[in-house]
Amino acid sequence: MEKSTTKKKIAVFISGRGSNLKSLIKNSKLKQGKFKIHLVISNKLTAQGLKYAKFNKIKSFAIEKSLKEFENKSLSLIKKYKINYICLAGFMRILSSSFIKKAKIPIINIHPSLLPKFKGLNTHERAIKSKQKFSGCTVHYVSEKLDSGKIILQKKVKILKKDNPKTLASKVLKLEHKAYREALNFIINF
Ligand code: GRF
């Protein structure tokens, strides 16, 4: 059987820029990659990431609605397209525990800190203010508690004296792009 037909189907949820989505799409085109980005769902109509989806002819949906409506519509798309994994990539809403249960497939997130440190927002600012020597990113399973599910993979980078939240964010973002695809290729077993 041709490899591409066995690739696991991924739905990526985004809210904005979509650089992690872009990097995942790039990886999913490799022959040896274990996954294919099959669906992109945004909770924002204007999310830049939707452009990458369209450019790459990936089915995409923008559902700028209440959380309940967003979740119901997303669940039906996930069933319809027989999605195997949901990846959150810069997705700025907190999914309900009912959604997590009903989806019945693993949901994975990337967070720009070395969890369990700095859950939530403004991670780079907080890491610098509290004089951490290192920061980085974490790919983890999504559980009902924010940024607290089982960790799949972390990558770290040194915080230099000259770093500010912006420079640190861009160093961590580069790591994120590698970490997400590595984590997915690591957990997917055929
Ligand atoms: C990333 O830093 C991600 O970890 C965080 O939001 C940012 C999204 O970036 N949750 P992008 O939309 O993938 O470019």
Side-chain angles (χ1 to χ4, degrees), residues 23-40:
S23 147
L24 289 175
I25 293 174
K26 198 170 161 204
N27 188 261
S28 79
K29 287 181 176 169
L30 300 177
K31 252 193 179 169
Q32 68 271 27
K34 293 179 177 174
F35 60 87
K36 183 177 192 301
I37 307 304
H38 202 74
L39 183 63
V40 173

Side-chain angles (χ1 to χ4, degrees), residues 88-103:
L88 311 183
F91 179 66
M92 302 308 283
R93 293 206 84 164
I94 299 174
L95 295 166
S96 71
S97 45
S98 138
F99 176 89
I100 295 170
K101 278 187 204 124
K102 284 185 195 154

